[in-house]
Amino acid sequence: MTSPAKHQSAYVERLPPRTLFERADALLALMKECRICPRECGARRLEGRYGVCHATDQVFISGASPHFGEEPVLVGRHGSGTIFFSSCNLKCLFCQNYDISHLRSGQPVTTDELAALMLSLQAMGCHNINLVTPTHFTAQIVQALARATERGLHIPIVYNCGGYESVETLALLDGIVDIYMPDIKYSDNRMAKKWSGVSDYWDVVRLAVKEMHRQVGDLRTDGLGIARRGLLVRHLVLPNNIAGSEAVLEFVARQLSAETYINIMDQYHPAFKARNLPPLNRRMRLDEYDRVVGYARALGLHRGFGHEQAGVWC
């Protein structure tokens, strides 16, 4: 399959490979006593040790392929070129990909192999490279991207994360990432601590998403409706308003932009340990979802949910 019409993404237009390698080196320095993510656990990952994420400097992925279950603006006709990274810096007890994030299923790859995967996905016609749960491997990803760019990679990079990101790390991705796609999981630190094992999630995610928006702005598409640059937010509605959805939406509408593309997701179901943890041991009710969507519309939000919604969560 031939690739879509060539679009010069941010990292091609603005940053030569030399600069990408320099950014990768700066990110690797953050791993010496790890502070890649806001946990700042201090693990000596370059020495083969690991912290909360259970990742050393060896990259593991669980798969890479064109994916057609993402948001329509990412999928288009040829799919989103997803690379699923094993492990995670969050510990969500209801994770729907727990075999990858908690059980860390996957295969080791070198940065050269990762670069080759990116180029292969582009050759298949994928509209973007979609990095799923990339946080703990950010340095190695940028190394691979530098190598792939030297060999002709040019499609947009999607940073598909859980929202718990270090602003210091994000600053080193400025000009590299085309599309940020964070979850905003909670607006209550107590709920985040209880269900995802992190006590400052709401404080951190607001700073992180503001930085993402500063870098790339509102989501923009090409003439075919395919996302090229900008912010795409995901928010999963949870039973009993555990996520604090109204405050999440207020933050998006009032502190980011009413033009923010936000996928308000309705597909929660009890997975992993949530099957035995009330009130997360039931599916979300339609009236709970409708209430959140109605509030979003009242705030002036209008992109990414309703008829545009993909109904997919990673």
Side-chain angles (χ1 to χ4, degrees):
M1 180 183 295
T2 58
S3 62
K6 189 167 182 177
H7 172 83
Q8 295 295 326
S9 296
Y11 59 90
V12 177
E13 291 181 339
R14 306 177 188 181
L15 302 175
R18 180 189 72 257
T19 301
L20 294 176
F21 282 117
E22 290 170 353
R23 296 281 189 91
D25 288 342
L27 289 162
L28 282 170
L30 297 181
M31 291 173 57
K32 290 180 179 177
E33 294 181 355
C34 197
R35 62 177 196 273
I36 279 284
C37 94
R39 288 187 183 273
E40 297 189 350
C41 68
R44 296 179 179 271
R45 293 177 57 199
L46 300 182
E47 299 174 15
R49 302 180 185 180
Y50 60 80
V52 177
C53 69
H54 285 266
T56 64
D57 61 339
Q58 173 66 69
V59 177
F60 277 76
I61 66 169
S62 67
S65 64
H67 190 33
F68 294 88
E70 302 282 61
E71 285 77 357
V73 291
L74 297 179
V75 169
R77 180 178 178 184
H78 302 293
S80 179
T82 53
I83 303 175
F84 288 89
F85 293 91
S86 304
S87 219
C88 186
N89 69 336
L90 293 174
K91 300 298 176 185
C92 302
L93 298 179
F94 53 89
C95 182
Q96 296 177 6
N97 284 333
Y98 67 90
D99 56 328
I100 302 171
S101 62
H102 288 259
L103 303 183
R104 302 184 296 282
S105 63
Q107 302 287 332
V109 294
T110 65
T111 51
D112 283 336
E113 290 169 335
L114 187 55
L117 282 172
M118 294 177 180
L119 289 162
S120 175
L121 291 167
Q122 178 174 276
M124 293 179 195
C126 294
H127 299 284
N128 46 68
I129 301 298
N130 188 343
L131 307 168
V132 183
T133 321
T135 308
H136 45 297
F137 294 129
T138 302
Q140 297 92 325
I141 289 168
V142 175
Q143 280 185 326
L145 178 64
R147 292 185 170 96
T149 301
E150 289 179 321
R151 296 162 57 190
L153 187 73
H154 61 82
I155 57 177
I157 300 298
V158 181
Y159 193 88
N160 182 346
C161 66
Y164 193 63
E165 302 291 322
S166 162
V167 171
E168 181 180 18
T169 297
L170 292 173
L172 290 169
L173 297 176
D174 193 357
I176 297 175
V177 171
D178 297 280
I179 299 165
Y180 282 105
M181 186 163 64
D183 291 335
I184 302 184
K185 295 180 181 292
Y186 311 95
S187 65
D188 187 325
N189 284 331
R190 295 169 301 171
M191 293 295 101
K193 175 64 175 177
K194 183 174 183 178
W195 303 114
S196 293
V198 61
S199 61
D200 58 350
Y201 181 86
W202 182 230
D203 302 322
V204 168
V205 74
R206 284 179 291 174
L207 293 175
V209 176
K210 283 182 178 179
E211 172 62 15
M212 295 174 189
H213 189 257
R214 182 196 69 78
Q215 290 183 22
V216 298
D218 295 329
L219 192 70
R220 300 184 293 284
T221 60
D222 63 16
L224 298 175
I226 304 300
R228 291 303 181 190
R229 184 171 175 82
L231 177 69
L232 191 163
V233 173
R234 285 174 165 175
H235 176 67
L236 180 68
V237 180
L238 296 176
N240 286 42
N241 196 31
I242 287 170
S245 297
E246 291 187 355
V248 169
L249 296 172
E250 288 169 2
F251 163 72
V252 171
R254 295 170 180 171
Q255 298 192 46
L256 298 178
S257 166
E259 295 300 314
T260 301
Y261 189 109
I262 178 167
N263 184 357
I264 304 172
M265 299 178 290
D266 66 352
Q267 66 272 23
Y268 175 79
H269 65 274
F272 192 39
K273 296 183 179 181
R275 299 183 184 97
N276 301 309
L277 293 173
L280 285 179
N281 62 342
R282 69 168 175 85
R283 287 183 175 271
M284 181 203 62
R285 298 191 308 268
L286 181 60
D287 66 289
E288 292 176 304
Y289 179 75
D290 288 344
R291 188 179 306 117
V292 174
V293 169
Y295 194 68
R297 295 192 190 284
L299 290 169
L301 296 168
H302 61 97
R303 299 181 68 200
F305 55 94
H307 71 280
E308 292 185 276
Q309 186 181 6
V312 170
W313 179 55
C314 296

